[in-house]
Amino acid sequence: MPDGDRGTYHAPMGTDCLFCRIVAGEIPATIVRETATTLAFRDIDPKAPVHVLVIPKEHYADVATLAEADPGLAGEVLATAAVVAEEEGLTGDGFRLMFNTGPHAGQEVFHAHAHLLGGAPLGPMLCR
Ligand code: 5GP
Ligand code: ZN
């Protein structure tokens, strides 16, 4: 799908949210799947052979805020992640799906996003 050709959504005027700007087509991204309410695109700095970010198009700061405000939309993010995992060939060997939330998790972009990681053994869940 060509960048910048994703319907009529526009980031709110003055938004400085990176992922809202990707949704609006104002910043390019490699989109792998789009639904009416979600977008999946490749991470710019992949940590695994497959590293896709799955977001709600609507802005929520993190997954907790999203889940409280709109559990149905949170489910749609999970459903999109599952379809992308299938399309990326990850369902046989498995994958990791994670939402960094807040400072202890090192969240850097404050627009809720799932990291879909796979394509090779991912190692232990946490490095200490
Ligand atoms: P967080 O640390 O907030 O959980 O994850 C943010 C992710 O966004 C990081 O993995 C980072 O590589 C990715 N990222 C940051 N800027 C961009 C960008 O401009 N485009 C894309 N596709 N990914 C980005
Ligand atoms: Zn946003």
Side-chain angles (χ1 to χ4, degrees), residues 6 8 14 17 57 65 84 86 101 119 126-128:
R6 294 196 295 282
T8 54
C17 173
K57 289 182 175 177
T65 310
V84 173
E86 173 79 38
T101 306
L126 297 173
C127 296
R128 289 192 178 271

Side-chain angles (χ1 to χ4, degrees), residues 18-19 22 27-30 41-47 51 53 61 98-102 105-111 113-115 117:
L18 178 63
F19 290 174
I22 286 176
I27 292 175
T30 304
F41 52 95
R42 297 200 189 280
D43 196 290
I44 203 168
D45 180 19
K47 313 298 190 299
H51 187 173
L53 302 174
M98 54 178 225
F99 294 84
N100 290 325
T101 306
Q107 184 179 2
E108 292 178 351
V109 177
F110 289 86
H111 181 130
H113 53 281
H115 293 261
L117 297 152

Side-chain angles (χ1 to χ4, degrees), residues 70-93:
D70 193 339
L73 180 56
E76 289 167 22
V77 170
L78 295 184
T80 295
V83 172
V84 173
E86 173 79 38
E87 289 175 343
E88 297 284 325
L90 303 181
T91 47
D93 288 328

